[in-house]
Amino acid sequence: MLKTFNPRVYYQTRSASAAFPYIIYSFLPSFTEEELEVLPLDIDIWDNKTDTTEIEELASQLWKDLRQYHHIDKDMQFVIYRQSRMPELDEAETGLRRRKLTFHIRYFDRTI
């Protein structure tokens, strides 16, 4: 699903040859809340350009489009809720720009 926003999407770590901008996502430890499993999802968007327009637009589009995104089928259902959008996390020493978005995926297994 994240590849609809950018073709360069990686789980936890990027490819050494990854072109900018790219997205790295990871899941934090899940927890249970009201009989639903909640999976925290971190999305980091990285770029190496001084002009942050592209990375800001990408972050904004993800923030907007993933809000209450839902999926349901015979086996499972889930809804994505926005959790936090961090301020700029630029790394001056490397020249990289980063934007961090955190979502909670509320998941229900329908096969139980």
Side-chain angles (χ1 to χ4, degrees), residues 37-102:
E37 185 173 7
V38 179
L39 297 120
L41 168 65
D42 278 352
I43 298 175
D44 291 294
I45 306 154
W46 294 86
D47 202 356
N48 63 349
K49 298 179 189 84
T50 305
D51 180 2
T52 62
T53 303
E54 187 174 11
I55 193 173
E56 294 295 348
E57 288 175 352
L58 184 53
S60 293
Q61 195 65 47
L62 281 160
W63 190 245
K64 178 184 160 217
D65 290 356
L66 292 182
R67 178 180 177 263
Q68 294 186 348
Y69 174 87
H70 61 279
H71 170 85
I72 188 168
D73 63 30
K74 67 180 181 64
D75 298 319
M76 69 174 176
Q77 69 185 56
F78 67 84
V79 179
I80 300 175
Y81 291 96
R82 296 190 294 200
Q83 193 64 28
S84 64
R85 183 173 181 168
M86 301 295 291
E88 298 175 2
L89 298 168
D90 298 340
E91 300 189 11
E93 66 278 356
T94 62
L96 295 179
R97 312 282 181 255
R98 178 170 64 136
R99 302 300 178 264
K100 184 179 200 70
L101 309 174
T102 302

Side-chain angles (χ1 to χ4, degrees), residues 25-39:
Y25 71 96
S26 59
F27 293 99
L28 303 176
S30 65
F31 58 92
T32 303
E33 186 177 280
E34 299 176 17
E35 297 186 26
L36 295 174
E37 185 173 7
V38 179
L39 297 120

